[in-house]
Amino acid sequence: MERPRHQGMAKNTNMRWRLPLVCLLWEVAMIVLFGVFVRFGPEADAHWEEEKRELNLTSDMENDFYFRYPSFQDVHVMIFVGFGFLMTFLKRYGFGAVGFNFLLAAFGIQWALLMQGWFHSFKNGKILIGVENLINADFCVGSVCIAFGAILGKTSPIQLLVMTLFQVTLFSVNEYILLNLLHVKDAGGSMTIHTFGAYFGLTVTRILYRPNLEQSKDKQGSVYHSDLFAMIGTLYLWMYWPSFNSAISEHGDAQHRSAINTYCSLAACVLTTMAFSSMLQKKGKLDMVHIQNATLAGGVAVGTSAEMMLTPYGSLIVGSISGIVSTVGYVYFTPFLESRLHIQDTCGIHNLHAMPGLIGGIVGAITAAAATEDVYGKEGFIKAFDFTGMYQTRTPSVQGGFQAAGIVVSLLMAFVGGAIVGGILKLPIWGDAAAENCFEDEVYWEVPEDEESDVYHMHNPDKPASP
Amino acid sequence: MERPRHQGMAKNTNMRWRLPLVCLLWEVAMIVLFGVFVRFGPEADAHWEEEKRELNLTSDMENDFYFRYPSFQDVHVMIFVGFGFLMTFLKRYGFGAVGFNFLLAAFGIQWALLMQGWFHSFKNGKILIGVENLINADFCVGSVCIAFGAILGKTSPIQLLVMTLFQVTLFSVNEYILLNLLHVKDAGGSMTIHTFGAYFGLTVTRILYRPNLEQSKDKQGSVYHSDLFAMIGTLYLWMYWPSFNSAISEHGDAQHRSAINTYCSLAACVLTTMAFSSMLQKKGKLDMVHIQNATLAGGVAVGTSAEMMLTPYGSLIVGSISGIVSTVGYVYFTPFLESRLHIQDTCGIHNLHAMPGLIGGIVGAITAAAATEDVYGKEGFIKAFDFTGMYQTRTPSVQGGFQAAGIVVSLLMAFVGGAIVGGILKLPIWGDAAAENCFEDEVYWEVPEDEESDVYHMHNPDKPASP
Amino acid sequence: MERPRHQGMAKNTNMRWRLPLVCLLWEVAMIVLFGVFVRFGPEADAHWEEEKRELNLTSDMENDFYFRYPSFQDVHVMIFVGFGFLMTFLKRYGFGAVGFNFLLAAFGIQWALLMQGWFHSFKNGKILIGVENLINADFCVGSVCIAFGAILGKTSPIQLLVMTLFQVTLFSVNEYILLNLLHVKDAGGSMTIHTFGAYFGLTVTRILYRPNLEQSKDKQGSVYHSDLFAMIGTLYLWMYWPSFNSAISEHGDAQHRSAINTYCSLAACVLTTMAFSSMLQKKGKLDMVHIQNATLAGGVAVGTSAEMMLTPYGSLIVGSISGIVSTVGYVYFTPFLESRLHIQDTCGIHNLHAMPGLIGGIVGAITAAAATEDVYGKEGFIKAFDFTGMYQTRTPSVQGGFQAAGIVVSLLMAFVGGAIVGGILKLPIWGDAAAENCFEDEVYWEVPEDEESDVYHMHNPDKPASP
């Protein structure tokens, strides 16, 4: 093992002080803010026995924990294993994919608990948290994981943390506007998570455009086993997506319905993805990039409407269409975005999240506008759209209009926010790698030696493997 | 990277139009049939509030969703990650294993929702679905995944879709005969899923016998990391099997008991598998094939009886025996089946599903026949075997007889159905690979280049790795 | 493939008869003991309908199964996939890591059901088991998995089984002393699982000290993909740890609170781990060893206090500190332990489990001592610490004292027990590998050929890859 290590790889990006400093200072800030603001909600507090008596609950089963904890754990897996491993497809960026996703999500959920807490769970000067807050924090971070997909391999961990800080903030504002001001329904986050997250990320990567990125072109591909690692991510996202879309729906029929709709949509999406993946290749061979990503579009595209009476066949239609759109996107739009619009989208989030997210918003608006008391039942209708209090007189078509407005707001927030945050990330102080070192773990990670030499060998086919 | 790609690999199997056509046409058929037939069941419908009042339910917790959703998700993981990754052990067929499993299961669950719906959930011209239907659809597809194991690496994706179409149909008929006509208990599917699925697959692979399969012998093995990927599949199947066997049992004690029995049986199975794996090798070394597969036989073998009063020690006994039978099968029966009976069983489903499935059916029959009111309690006895209505007077020993009849029916359905479907799959129109291209992803998938060259190198040890 | 296999590797460790014998005899013993002692508890027994009437329960939902089964499955995944894959980081010991962990855990849960059953679920001569027993058995085995981490790669499967037999026994005694005699709270097992398990394992590895271990130094590292496999283990441990710490807490607020505290602690731990991992490397690069392990310390460190009113910010503080301690441990303590104290700790369990376990015990003692009726509410206070019956008059500060005593007892049990068991394992009859064959799967496993030749090549850089 005396072969010299690849020179130039070891470029010092000066993470040594900056990354620790950011991590530690921010964690201290979290501790202080949590100390001032965050407390257990009534269902997690030791006063629960009194609460139970007051609310006349006869069983501990009525604790929200039991309604939502299994879904929470599924969502948790999606964020950390799902997104983390989905991005390990790159041959030399597996550590960065799964490790940086871990880092940004772990910071993001803390900050999201605060931001979303101030907007939604703030009582008497305290944020009262329970399992639903944990799910919502994971959701919020999901939008950051999506944006991470666009800039994967091209940014430093500090840039990712800075982006997380801002994106979580903007996410929470956007979510507040949609859910509270526009009174929009979006339980699975087609608009708040996917549309916002994806267009935010795409705008950021546009601002961070690297003209010389083809210098690391050889590292942008996958190897056999990295594609299998990525399939772990894909399958966990796919399997648990019914939990994602139903996790914060109303107890009872709404959670049940969301899961069924999402299950159907995803199943259909797999078939149309396979069909178009084969059809659009010269030799009819399937492309792992499509299978890894476009099969998930069906989950994104029913994110708004899954808890509505979309019906199983409606879900099949939406899932089928989104699989097609997403696969076509990978074949035609991604190269176009890169060459013409200078949008370098590493994971193709435009195809997996942006377009299906828009479809999801639109389908949600239509499904809401088409709702009738006949289909939902009198009580079910009011419950499904929360047409109570000041929204008592809102009609389905008006609701549909507000849903559509929610898409526009999410897009605006994404473009404006992404531009500003992209500008901040462009500052030359964050330690990002040179173009020829993109998609390369060795810049930020200690990488085991022997594999390094493999790569070394791979890139120098004219040199003998062993002297 | 200018080395020429391996010639002959690129054989065009004409998937380009046929696969898309089948996928798209069938998905359209699903949409139409779902549109005509499938609606939400009362617990997923927005009229749930009225339903609740009618049934006098006081809490949303009584929605079946909360009784079964966690088990459903576990079963879902078993079908897609469990079976998918279990089959990635082949060094060059990981994409096909996990990808085709994904494809056939995604189609299969849609078709199963219809087929099983017509038989079991049909009311006033509509199929009303809820979480239990999703579980049953996954179960049904599980039997296809099992059959896939026998023909893994030797069939085209179109053949797999055709097989899925027919097998799901036959499964549903067989299930109807067993559960409704014979009034047999089989919650974990020892008979309906494993015995039927395995003998169906073995019959199909017998019909599709390839005399020249040794031409791809070099690709039938595993590599170090492919064996680890396969262990992901194994462990998820093993860990979640208690959910599998309890997922559709009656609420309360039956679900609870099924989980415990399965947990015990699987634990015992691991020890006897390890024992025999070591004992049957010359040097006493353990064989990953056994650990990956035979450790699961304990779950199969209590599939019928887990919800009965099998007792924990009974489970240990069944699990121990099935681990032994399965491991012995891998060492002695699989080579025998191939050389003498011309049954080429890629994954050894005869050892993992067929024989343990038979054991499961027999143990179920015995456990049912041995049931007494003393052990079950008066109410528990009636509830456990559903001895109500026209079955009010059935005795345990008669029930045991019907259970045994269920095994025979499943076997007949598997042999006859497998022979017919095998014959259909033998038609030379489905684009299967030549014998020398079996177990090779490159026939149907875009495979990353660098690994290809590794394999190229591997197969030509007399050529230098680098020119 | 005619290159000769690596000589010396094939050393016969005489597993062929010894391993099967131990496995089979012990399994027979389990069957006999289960037959004599183990029966279904009332919630899993077919008499449940009568039980329900007696306890005046109106719904099957009140069955403990529905309160704990989702958490049980998460814990189950942690034991088998979490610990199993966490240890696959070694380049040539993946089979042993995941396979032996599988073996010892499968045996351990059976023996734990008995041992813990005799102490905690023994009624009228029978051990009555339900889902909580399954969780506790998994917990108990968790402590063995931890100890396995210290001796990973250096012991034979028989040694592991012998250790499991003794450690489960000692665990159960220690647990009985803590929970029943000292009336200590330790739902997430900071003391019973982590402190005991880790110091037990460290003592065993000290006794088994191998002075020539540097002979297999080249195999003690990781390769690129083995590090990714290990991250699967890490993430599943990390994600499901909230389930681990809440799995056996009281129904309602306690389970809810445990999950939230653990979620917060783990999130904070990731940031401080990343900070210190970067800070302590010369070039500021992150080390996968830290990310794989130290990020989990936050879960260990709130194992005792998570179900108490630790508060979210308290959890952040504990998590932050434990991440720092653990990372610093990997950098400075592990080399010190090896060179000075002759403690060869393969996975660094001293950093991940021992020190954070101690922190967890201490934090638990302080949190208990600081409890007030004001914070918990009158009822909540009594319920949280079970201050009923003979403990009616125990004060928080006294409880804190007993909690501290629990740490001391666990340590003593670990040191004394570990020394004795280590002595037994040192007997030259268990077939452990020679020093130069440590961390090498080929000693106990059939390993696929082609990868072997890779390794062969790797170890002989002065030989050409291909003749």
Side-chain angles (χ1 to χ4, degrees):
Chain A
M1 220 83 80
E2 283 148 56
R3 209 167 325 121
R5 299 182 73 178
H6 199 160
Q7 292 307 316
M9 283 290 184
K11 183 215 172 199
N12 197 332
T13 50
N14 293 314
M15 284 296 110
R16 190 173 183 189
W17 293 110
R18 284 187 287 174
L19 183 60
L21 215 65
V22 171
C23 286
L24 293 179
L25 282 183
W26 290 15
E27 191 54 52
V28 169
M30 290 299 113
I31 291 170
V32 172
L33 289 168
F34 268 60
V36 176
F37 289 110
V38 182
R39 297 294 178 272
F40 295 121
E43 301 186 283
D45 193 282
H47 289 78
W48 162 246
E49 285 298 322
E50 296 160 33
E51 175 84 5
K52 240 164 65 180
R53 211 174 311 123
E54 226 161 86
L55 297 176
N56 223 350
L57 302 175
T58 53
S59 164
D60 282 324
M61 256 297 158
E62 297 296 321
N63 194 305
D64 197 34
F65 182 78
Y66 301 103
F67 285 93
R68 304 204 187 276
Y69 189 72
S71 312
F72 157 66
Q73 274 296 2
D74 295 349
V75 171
H76 216 39
V77 171
M78 292 173 73
I79 300 300
F80 290 88
V81 159
F83 283 112
F85 272 89
L86 181 61
M87 297 188 282
T88 58
F89 73 99
L90 290 171
K91 66 178 79 156
R92 291 296 297 168
Y93 208 70
F95 294 4
V98 81
F100 293 154
N101 186 69
F102 196 15
L103 172 63
L104 72 84
F107 167 68
I109 54 179
Q110 299 178 59
W111 180 227
L113 279 176
L114 287 165
M115 280 302 305
Q116 295 180 315
W118 283 316
F119 279 123
H120 300 289
S121 314
F122 202 58
K123 266 170 211 157
N124 305 323
K126 298 293 172 200
I127 296 167
L128 302 181
I129 65 173
V131 65
E132 198 174 337
N133 298 69
L134 307 190
I135 298 171
N136 275 312
D138 272 21
F139 275 3
C140 175
V141 159
S143 89
V144 185
C145 299
I146 292 166
F148 178 33
I151 56 178
L152 182 74
K154 302 175 294 186
T155 42
S156 76
I158 298 183
Q159 282 176 306
L160 294 174
L161 284 171
V162 171
M163 184 178 84
T164 304
L165 180 75
F166 286 109
Q167 193 178 347
V168 166
T169 310
L170 291 164
F171 176 96
S172 305
V173 173
N174 185 50
E175 186 187 45
Y176 180 77
I177 297 174
L178 264 67
L179 304 190
N180 295 52
L181 304 187
L182 302 179
H183 196 69
V184 147
K185 303 297 285 183
D186 194 21
S190 289
M191 295 177 279
T192 54
I193 302 169
H194 299 286
T195 303
F196 169 76
Y199 284 105
F200 181 93
L202 291 166
T203 312
V204 167
T205 199
R206 174 65 193 81
I207 307 281
L208 298 180
Y209 176 66
R210 284 167 176 274
N212 300 320
L213 197 60
E214 80 285 357
Q215 288 177 12
S216 52
K217 207 77 189 173
D218 57 329
K219 277 171 284 177
Q220 268 200 71
S222 63
V223 291
Y224 197 67
H225 281 165
S226 73
D227 269 328
L228 282 177
F229 278 115
M231 278 305 290
I232 297 174
T234 298
L235 287 175
Y236 275 97
L237 288 169
W238 193 89
M239 296 180 304
Y240 286 162
W241 216 295
S243 298
F244 193 90
N245 285 348
S246 67
I248 57 161
S249 290
E250 294 275 334
H251 296 171
D253 60 304
Q255 282 199 292
H256 203 150
R257 193 162 55 241
S258 297
I260 296 173
N261 279 328
T262 311
Y263 177 95
C264 289
S265 176
L266 285 163
C269 186
V270 174
L271 267 87
T272 55
T273 298
M274 294 267 184
F276 274 75
S277 179
S278 170
M279 198 193 296
L280 300 178
Q281 293 286 131
K282 261 196 195 138
K283 291 184 180 157
K285 291 187 184 184
L286 295 162
D287 189 327
M288 277 307 256
V289 173
H290 309 153
I291 312 308
Q292 282 158 9
N293 293 281
T295 51
L296 301 169
V300 177
V302 295
T304 305
S305 56
E307 61 173 2
M308 302 178 190
M309 288 293 280
L310 178 61
T311 74
Y313 71 89
S315 304
L316 292 188
I317 295 172
V318 176
S320 299
I321 293 171
S322 58
I324 295 170
V325 169
S326 187
T327 310
V328 169
Y330 275 99
V331 178
Y332 297 115
F333 295 178
T334 298
F336 172 85
L337 289 180
E338 175 148 8
S339 62
R340 299 297 172 87
L341 304 185
H342 289 182
I343 295 172
Q344 292 158 328
D345 178 7
T346 312
C347 295
I349 62 165
H350 184 255
N351 315 304
L352 170 47
H353 297 282
M355 291 190 297
L358 286 178
I359 294 174
I362 295 165
V363 170
I366 295 171
T367 312
T372 63
E373 280 199 16
D374 189 45
V375 168
Y376 286 76
K378 201 175 163 57
E379 285 166 280
F381 181 71
I382 292 166
K383 201 179 149 195
F385 296 98
D386 206 11
F387 284 161
T388 54
M390 60 180 290
Y391 303 103
Q392 216 169 348
T393 58
R394 195 182 268 190
T395 62
S397 52
V398 172
Q399 178 68 23
F402 276 100
Q403 296 279 145
I407 307 173
V408 178
V409 171
S410 300
L411 282 171
L412 285 177
M413 289 289 291
F415 290 133
V416 176
I420 296 168
V421 175
I424 294 168
L425 297 182
K426 223 180 155 64
L427 299 174
I429 56 174
W430 309 117
D432 50 334
E436 75 267 25
N437 287 333
C438 283
F439 315 113
E440 172 57 59
D441 270 333
E442 225 185 311
V443 180
Y444 302 111
W445 297 85
E446 292 289 321
V447 176
E449 283 220 12
D450 64 287
E451 291 263 330
E452 202 179 315
S453 65
D454 276 13
V455 169
Y456 179 70
H457 157 60
M458 238 161 54
H459 295 174
N460 298 274
D462 49 342
K463 263 193 158 181
S466 313
Chain B
M1 221 80 79
E2 283 148 55
R3 209 171 324 125
R5 300 181 74 178
H6 198 160
Q7 292 309 314
M9 283 290 182
K11 186 216 170 203
N12 196 331
T13 50
N14 292 314
M15 284 296 110
R16 191 172 183 189
W17 292 110
R18 285 187 285 175
L19 182 61
L21 216 66
V22 171
C23 286
L24 293 178
L25 282 182
W26 290 15
E27 190 54 52
V28 169
M30 290 299 113
I31 291 171
V32 171
L33 288 169
F34 269 60
V36 176
F37 289 111
V38 182
R39 297 292 179 273
F40 294 121
E43 302 186 282
D45 192 282
H47 289 79
W48 162 247
E49 285 299 322
E50 298 159 34
E51 175 85 5
K52 240 164 67 181
R53 210 173 313 122
E54 226 161 86
L55 297 177
N56 225 350
L57 302 175
T58 53
S59 164
D60 282 325
M61 256 298 158
E62 297 296 322
N63 194 306
D64 196 35
F65 182 78
Y66 301 103
F67 285 93
R68 304 206 186 274
Y69 190 72
S71 313
F72 157 66
Q73 275 296 3
D74 295 349
V75 171
H76 216 39
V77 171
M78 292 173 74
I79 300 300
F80 290 88
V81 159
F83 282 112
F85 272 89
L86 180 61
M87 296 189 280
T88 58
F89 72 99
L90 290 171
K91 66 178 76 155
R92 290 297 296 170
Y93 208 71
F95 293 5
V98 81
F100 292 153
N101 186 69
F102 196 14
L103 172 63
L104 71 84
F107 166 68
I109 54 180
Q110 298 178 59
W111 179 229
L113 279 176
L114 287 165
M115 280 303 304
Q116 296 180 315
W118 283 316
F119 279 122
H120 300 289
S121 313
F122 202 57
K123 266 170 211 159
N124 304 322
K126 298 293 172 200
I127 295 166
L128 302 180
I129 64 173
V131 65
E132 197 173 337
N133 298 71
L134 306 189
I135 298 171
N136 275 313
D138 272 22
F139 275 4
C140 175
V141 159
S143 88
V144 185
C145 299
I146 291 166
F148 179 32
I151 56 177
L152 182 74
K154 301 175 295 186
T155 42
S156 76
I158 299 183
Q159 283 177 305
L160 294 174
L161 284 170
V162 171
M163 185 180 83
T164 304
L165 180 74
F166 286 109
Q167 194 179 346
V168 166
T169 310
L170 291 164
F171 176 98
S172 306
V173 172
N174 185 50
E175 186 187 45
Y176 179 76
I177 296 172
L178 264 67
L179 303 190
N180 295 52
L181 303 187
L182 302 179
H183 196 70
V184 147
K185 304 296 285 183
D186 194 20
S190 289
M191 294 177 280
T192 55
I193 302 169
H194 299 286
T195 302
F196 169 76
Y199 283 105
F200 181 93
L202 291 166
T203 312
V204 168
T205 199
R206 174 64 192 81
I207 306 279
L208 298 180
Y209 176 64
R210 284 168 176 274
N212 301 319
L213 197 61
E214 81 284 356
Q215 288 178 12
S216 51
K217 208 75 189 175
D218 56 328
K219 280 171 280 177
Q220 267 199 72
S222 62
V223 292
Y224 196 68
H225 281 167
S226 73
D227 268 329
L228 282 176
F229 278 115
M231 277 306 289
I232 297 174
T234 298
L235 288 176
Y236 275 99
L237 288 169
W238 193 90
M239 296 180 304
Y240 286 163
W241 216 295
S243 298
F244 193 91
N245 284 347
S246 67
I248 57 162
S249 289
E250 294 275 334
H251 296 171
D253 59 306
Q255 283 199 293
H256 203 149
R257 192 163 55 240
S258 296
I260 295 173
N261 279 328
T262 311
Y263 177 95
C264 290
S265 175
L266 285 163
C269 186
V270 173
L271 269 87
T272 55
T273 298
M274 294 268 184
F276 273 75
S277 179
S278 170
M279 197 193 298
L280 301 178
Q281 294 287 132
K282 261 196 195 137
K283 290 183 182 159
K285 292 187 183 183
L286 295 162
D287 189 327
M288 277 306 256
V289 173
H290 309 153
I291 312 308
Q292 283 158 8
N293 292 281
T295 51
L296 301 168
V300 177
V302 296
T304 304
S305 56
E307 61 174 2
M308 303 177 189
M309 289 292 281
L310 178 61
T311 74
Y313 72 89
S315 304
L316 293 188
I317 295 172
V318 176
S320 300
I321 293 171
S322 58
I324 295 170
V325 169
S326 187
T327 310
V328 169
Y330 274 98
V331 178
Y332 297 114
F333 295 178
T334 298
F336 173 83
L337 289 180
E338 176 149 7
S339 62
R340 299 298 171 87
L341 304 185
H342 289 183
I343 295 172
Q344 293 158 327
D345 178 8
T346 311
C347 295
I349 62 165
H350 183 256
N351 315 305
L352 171 46
H353 297 283
M355 292 190 296
L358 287 178
I359 294 174
I362 294 165
V363 170
I366 295 170
T367 314
T372 63
E373 279 199 17
D374 189 45
V375 168
Y376 287 76
K378 200 175 165 54
E379 286 165 279
F381 181 71
I382 293 166
K383 201 178 148 196
F385 296 98
D386 205 13
F387 285 161
T388 54
M390 60 181 290
Y391 303 103
Q392 215 168 347
T393 57
R394 196 182 266 191
T395 61
S397 52
V398 171
Q399 178 68 24
F402 276 100
Q403 296 280 144
I407 306 174
V408 177
V409 172
S410 300
L411 282 172
L412 285 176
M413 289 289 291
F415 290 133
V416 176
I420 295 169
V421 174
I424 294 168
L425 298 182
K426 221 178 156 68
L427 299 175
I429 56 173
W430 308 119
D432 51 334
E436 74 266 24
N437 288 332
C438 283
F439 315 112
E440 172 58 59
D441 270 333
E442 224 184 310
V443 180
Y444 301 110
W445 297 86
E446 292 288 322
V447 176
E449 283 219 11
D450 64 286
E451 291 263 332
E452 202 180 316
S453 64
D454 275 15
V455 169
Y456 179 71
H457 157 59
M458 238 162 55
H459 296 173
N460 297 273
D462 49 342
K463 264 192 156 180
S466 315
Chain C
M1 222 80 83
E2 283 149 56
R3 209 170 325 123
R5 301 182 74 179
H6 199 160
Q7 293 308 316
M9 283 289 182
K11 184 218 171 200
N12 198 331
T13 50
N14 292 314
M15 284 297 111
R16 191 172 183 190
W17 293 109
R18 283 187 286 175
L19 183 60
L21 216 66
V22 171
C23 286
L24 293 178
L25 282 183
W26 291 15
E27 190 53 53
V28 169
M30 290 299 114
I31 291 171
V32 172
L33 289 169
F34 269 59
V36 176
F37 289 110
V38 182
R39 297 294 178 271
F40 294 121
E43 301 186 284
D45 191 283
H47 290 79
W48 163 245
E49 285 300 321
E50 297 159 33
E51 174 85 4
K52 241 163 68 178
R53 210 173 314 122
E54 226 161 88
L55 298 177
N56 224 349
L57 302 175
T58 53
S59 165
D60 282 324
M61 256 298 160
E62 297 295 323
N63 194 305
D64 196 35
F65 182 77
Y66 301 103
F67 285 94
R68 305 206 186 274
Y69 189 72
S71 313
F72 156 65
Q73 274 296 3
D74 294 350
V75 171
H76 215 39
V77 171
M78 293 173 73
I79 299 299
F80 289 88
V81 159
F83 283 111
F85 273 89
L86 181 61
M87 297 188 280
T88 58
F89 73 98
L90 290 171
K91 66 177 78 155
R92 292 296 298 168
Y93 208 70
F95 293 4
V98 81
F100 293 154
N101 186 69
F102 196 14
L103 172 64
L104 72 82
F107 167 68
I109 54 180
Q110 298 177 58
W111 180 228
L113 279 176
L114 286 165
M115 281 302 305
Q116 295 180 316
W118 283 316
F119 279 122
H120 301 289
S121 313
F122 202 58
K123 266 169 211 158
N124 303 322
K126 298 293 172 198
I127 296 167
L128 302 180
I129 65 173
V131 64
E132 196 172 339
N133 298 70
L134 306 190
I135 299 171
N136 275 313
D138 272 21
F139 276 4
C140 174
V141 159
S143 89
V144 184
C145 299
I146 291 166
F148 179 32
I151 56 177
L152 182 74
K154 301 176 293 186
T155 42
S156 76
I158 298 182
Q159 283 177 306
L160 294 174
L161 284 171
V162 172
M163 185 179 84
T164 304
L165 179 76
F166 286 110
Q167 193 179 347
V168 166
T169 310
L170 291 164
F171 176 98
S172 306
V173 172
N174 185 51
E175 186 187 44
Y176 179 76
I177 297 172
L178 264 67
L179 303 190
N180 295 52
L181 304 187
L182 303 179
H183 196 69
V184 148
K185 304 296 284 183
D186 194 20
S190 289
M191 294 177 280
T192 55
I193 302 170
H194 299 287
T195 303
F196 168 76
Y199 284 105
F200 181 93
L202 291 166
T203 311
V204 168
T205 200
R206 174 66 192 79
I207 306 279
L208 298 180
Y209 176 65
R210 283 168 175 275
N212 300 320
L213 197 60
E214 82 284 355
Q215 288 177 12
S216 52
K217 207 78 189 173
D218 56 329
K219 278 170 283 176
Q220 267 200 74
S222 62
V223 292
Y224 196 67
H225 281 166
S226 73
D227 268 329
L228 282 176
F229 278 115
M231 277 304 289
I232 297 174
T234 299
L235 287 175
Y236 275 97
L237 288 169
W238 193 89
M239 296 180 304
Y240 286 162
W241 216 294
S243 299
F244 193 92
N245 284 348
S246 67
I248 57 163
S249 289
E250 294 275 334
H251 296 172
D253 59 303
Q255 282 200 292
H256 203 150
R257 191 162 57 241
S258 296
I260 295 173
N261 279 330
T262 311
Y263 176 96
C264 290
S265 176
L266 285 163
C269 186
V270 174
L271 269 87
T272 54
T273 297
M274 295 268 185
F276 273 74
S277 179
S278 170
M279 196 194 294
L280 301 178
Q281 293 286 132
K282 260 195 195 140
K283 292 184 180 158
K285 292 187 184 184
L286 295 162
D287 190 327
M288 277 305 257
V289 173
H290 309 153
I291 312 307
Q292 283 158 9
N293 292 281
T295 52
L296 301 168
V300 177
V302 296
T304 304
S305 55
E307 61 174 2
M308 304 177 190
M309 289 293 281
L310 178 61
T311 75
Y313 72 88
S315 304
L316 293 188
I317 295 172
V318 176
S320 299
I321 292 171
S322 59
I324 295 170
V325 169
S326 186
T327 310
V328 169
Y330 275 99
V331 178
Y332 297 114
F333 294 178
T334 298
F336 173 83
L337 288 181
E338 175 149 7
S339 61
R340 299 298 171 87
L341 303 185
H342 289 181
I343 296 172
Q344 293 158 327
D345 177 8
T346 311
C347 295
I349 63 165
H350 184 255
N351 314 305
L352 170 47
H353 297 282
M355 291 189 297
L358 287 178
I359 294 174
I362 295 164
V363 170
I366 295 170
T367 313
T372 63
E373 279 198 16
D374 190 44
V375 168
Y376 286 76
K378 199 174 164 55
E379 285 165 281
F381 181 71
I382 292 166
K383 201 178 146 195
F385 297 98
D386 205 12
F387 284 162
T388 54
M390 60 181 290
Y391 304 103
Q392 216 169 347
T393 57
R394 195 182 267 191
T395 62
S397 52
V398 172
Q399 178 69 22
F402 276 99
Q403 295 280 145
I407 307 174
V408 177
V409 172
S410 300
L411 282 172
L412 285 177
M413 288 289 290
F415 290 133
V416 176
I420 296 168
V421 175
I424 295 169
L425 297 182
K426 223 180 156 65
L427 300 175
I429 57 173
W430 309 117
D432 51 333
E436 74 266 25
N437 288 334
C438 283
F439 315 112
E440 171 58 57
D441 270 333
E442 224 185 310
V443 180
Y444 300 111
W445 297 85
E446 291 290 320
V447 176
E449 282 221 9
D450 64 287
E451 291 262 331
E452 202 179 313
S453 65
D454 276 15
V455 169
Y456 178 71
H457 157 60
M458 238 162 55
H459 295 173
N460 296 275
D462 50 339
K463 262 194 160 180
S466 315

